[in-house]
Amino acid sequence: MKAAVWHGEKDIRIEEVEVKPLKDSQVKVRVAWAGICGSDLHEYEEGPVFVPVNEEDPLTDEIAPLTMGHEFAGVIEEVGSNVTKFKVGDRVAINPTITYGNKPEDIDAYDGFSFIGLHGDGGFTKYANVPESNIYLLPDTLTLQDGALIEPTAVAVQAVKEGALQFGDTVAIFGAGPIGLLTAIAAKAAGASKIIVLDLSETRLEKAKELGATHIINSGEQDAVKAIRELVPDGVDVSFEVAGVAPTFKQAIDATRARGTMVIVSIFARSIEWNPIHLTNTGVKITSSIAYTPTSFQQTVDLMGTGQLKPQGIITDQIQLDDIVEKGFEALSNDKSQAKILVELSGEK
């Protein structure tokens, strides 16, 4: 079967791979749709970031090269002998995080975690073997294409929960890429009264406005902090850093009210220079979020199923697996009008 296989920086190849034997605790998923994530793009542009290449990860028995893809949904093709919760034909979404599972879920990921599609073979292929514990049933109200959006939406849901956002709070979101846009959608669903989104791209800002931002600011044309404080003089209650660069990191702190919260959501590709007295002088609290808990993932499924979360508007293109490098990774690298690109595998609805 064909698969998009990561070999190294700027080296993803469409290759024929073998279907691996199914373990007793796994299900085989016939992949319908898979999304290209910002983490995937980091691996393509400057990897390895997460992909293990020098030594084996303790949570997986695989090292690169490996099949990428961790935002995917499909139909169960086969179940292992120990699987009890699912059956052939079930429509499912995949939570790609694999943890030791020894601690409460809110700290479990920080005890070590691996990602299907980054630390081991993932969903940019016809069939993917997934542990039963990572499978979530899709409600009838969601299509399989919707299912491919659950994972990135769960990232935003977890970030909003991490910021302890309350009804009526004001927020600023630095970065209008896919996760920034999803954070705006999640903040709206959580009851934010002002949702201020900042980016350098007018196209992305217009998309943010379309998806629920109450205000948009081009931080290349305006002083970002001044513009925010004209809207919210004391600073926003919660800011989200979703750009991953030093200027937005500092601006997010400066735009937040004293004793407010700044949430780091982005993956910083390189270190930044920063003095912690910045917090001492402002009273801002910093926290961070990685992935999501199983509870947040299930809540995302439920909220999308009822229509309370509607992330479908972030889809900007649908492509074939053979075109994943040129029309997927290269497009995301060079075309800022792109947000979420979905790869069609079986194409089932």
Side-chain angles (χ1 to χ4, degrees):
M1 62 183 183
K2 286 182 180 179
V5 180
W6 185 93
H7 286 264
E9 180 181 343
K10 292 281 187 174
D11 188 6
I12 293 175
R13 310 172 197 173
I14 303 301
E15 298 178 339
E16 287 291 329
V17 300
E18 294 293 325
V19 180
K20 294 187 176 179
L22 191 68
K23 296 179 181 179
D24 292 343
S25 60
Q26 291 181 328
V27 304
K28 179 184 292 182
V29 176
R30 184 172 68 249
V31 182
W33 297 88
I36 301 176
C37 177
S39 301
D40 298 329
L41 191 60
H42 276 297
E43 294 295 346
Y44 176 70
E45 293 179 333
E46 56 213 7
V49 179
F50 292 108
V51 174
V53 291
N54 296 319
E55 59 184 43
E56 295 193 10
D57 187 286
L59 290 173
T60 181
D61 56 4
E62 299 174 90
I63 57 175
L66 55 80
T67 299
M68 295 192 78
H70 61 268
E71 303 176 357
F72 62 103
V75 178
I76 293 180
E77 179 85 4
E78 183 181 349
V79 299
S81 59
N82 292 337
V83 172
T84 60
K85 297 180 180 178
F86 303 97
K87 64 184 185 301
V88 172
D90 281 345
R91 300 162 61 256
V92 296
I94 286 75
N95 174 345
T97 55
I98 297 176
T99 69
Y100 293 116
N102 295 330
K103 297 189 176 181
E105 68 169 19
D106 60 332
I107 57 174
D108 188 40
Y110 302 99
D111 186 40
F113 75 97
S114 290
F115 251 58
I116 295 168
L118 287 173
H119 300 88
D121 288 333
F124 288 150
T125 189
K126 185 175 182 179
Y127 296 110
N129 293 346
V130 181
E132 179 183 24
S133 58
N134 292 74
I135 297 291
Y136 291 69
L137 278 173
L138 287 177
D140 292 339
T141 51
L142 294 181
T143 67
L144 288 167
Q145 193 176 82
D146 295 334
L149 299 177
I150 290 171
E151 195 278 342
T153 306
V155 172
V157 168
Q158 189 68 51
V160 167
K161 291 171 70 175
E162 182 67 29
L165 187 66
Q166 299 185 44
F167 280 104
D169 277 355
T170 55
V171 305
I173 300 167
F174 289 80
I179 297 299
L181 294 173
L182 288 167
T183 302
I185 292 169
K188 180 179 180 180
S193 60
K194 284 188 174 69
I195 303 170
I196 307 165
V197 177
L198 303 94
D199 201 277
L200 300 173
S201 166
E202 283 296 332
T203 304
R204 285 185 168 183
L205 288 171
E206 287 303 319
K207 174 62 76 171
K209 188 77 171 178
E210 174 188 324
L211 295 176
T214 59
H215 301 81
I216 53 176
I217 296 170
N218 189 317
S219 50
E221 298 177 357
Q222 299 182 64
D223 181 310
V225 176
K226 182 179 179 182
I228 290 170
R229 286 188 173 267
E230 286 177 354
L231 295 167
V232 188
D234 291 331
V236 295
D237 297 299
V238 187
S239 64
F240 297 89
E241 203 299 310
V242 205
V245 293
T248 52
F249 179 89
K250 296 170 184 176
Q251 290 166 359
I253 296 171
D254 289 333
T256 305
R257 66 169 175 81
R259 309 309 295 158
T261 301
M262 190 269 265
V263 184
I264 302 170
V265 189
S266 55
I267 296 168
F268 280 74
R270 55 188 60 85
S271 60
I272 65 171
E273 184 176 327
W274 172 71
N275 189 336
I277 201 170
H278 195 178
L279 298 181
T280 308
N281 289 339
T282 61
V284 173
K285 298 173 286 183
I286 289 184
T287 186
S288 61
S289 179
I290 183 71
Y292 30 74
T293 63
T295 294
S296 292
F297 199 94
Q298 183 62 62
Q299 288 170 341
T300 303
V301 174
D302 296 339
L303 289 166
M304 285 179 59
T306 60
Q308 292 166 272
L309 274 175
K310 298 179 180 179
Q312 291 83 352
I314 71 164
I315 300 172
T316 50
D317 205 358
Q318 300 170 26
I319 63 174
Q320 300 298 310
L321 182 64
D322 286 337
D323 300 321
I324 196 171
V325 174
E326 180 182 353
K327 294 183 179 180
F329 288 96
E330 285 293 323
L332 288 168
S333 293
N334 301 309
D335 182 359
K336 296 308 178 185
S337 70
Q338 294 290 356
K340 180 58 63 182
I341 296 177
L342 292 187
V343 181
E344 180 178 343
L345 279 309
S346 75
E348 295 169 78
K349 302 298 184 183

